[in-house]
Amino acid sequence: MMIIGCDFHPGFQQIAYVEQETGEYGERRLGHRGEALAFYRSLADRAVRIGVEATGNDRWFRKLISELGHELLVGTPARFMLRLRASGGRTSGTPATFCDCL
């Protein structure tokens, strides 16, 4: 399964990801629509879990993820921070910390 932590901004998203089977990991900045659509569609045949902070401008993103059959977890920043502190993880709100929570 691929796990993605996503920091959603109005014009782009910053992601951190890890592929559990291979250990591959990294971070990327994806422009909305073009780059993001291509990236998530390229994962259509894989099991993917995406964690993102709650935001109001992500309807198109939620619809895309649902259509592709990926799992989307939406949480508040406070919820992510509580889980991180409980597990002893980093407490800065970055996509990598979202991956740690997932």
Side-chain angles (χ1 to χ4, degrees):
M1 171 178 278
M2 179 176 258
I3 298 176
I4 300 171
C6 179
D7 191 4
F8 204 88
H9 296 272
F12 69 95
Q13 48 187 275
Q14 185 71 32
I15 66 165
Y17 61 89
V18 62
E19 174 56 67
Q20 290 183 311
E21 293 175 12
T22 65
E24 175 189 359
Y25 64 93
E27 293 191 34
R28 289 183 63 180
R29 179 182 167 133
L30 303 172
H32 283 327
R33 308 299 173 137
E35 286 179 296
L37 287 170
F39 175 76
Y40 291 109
R41 285 189 176 137
S42 75
L43 304 174
D45 60 338
R46 300 165 72 177
V48 179
R49 176 180 295 151
I50 303 161
V52 64
E53 288 180 331
T55 182
N57 61 347
D58 65 350
R59 272 193 229 168
W60 71 269
F61 181 67
R62 290 180 189 214
K63 182 179 180 198
L64 171 69
I65 298 307
S66 175
E67 289 172 358
L68 295 172
H70 301 324
E71 181 181 5
L72 181 63
L73 304 175
V74 179
T76 64
R79 182 175 173 201
F80 282 117
M81 293 306 109
L82 286 173
R83 289 191 66 187
L84 282 172
R85 287 185 185 120
S87 68
R90 298 182 299 176
T91 58
S92 60
T94 67
T97 60
F98 302 151
C99 281
D100 290 342
C101 285
L102 300 174

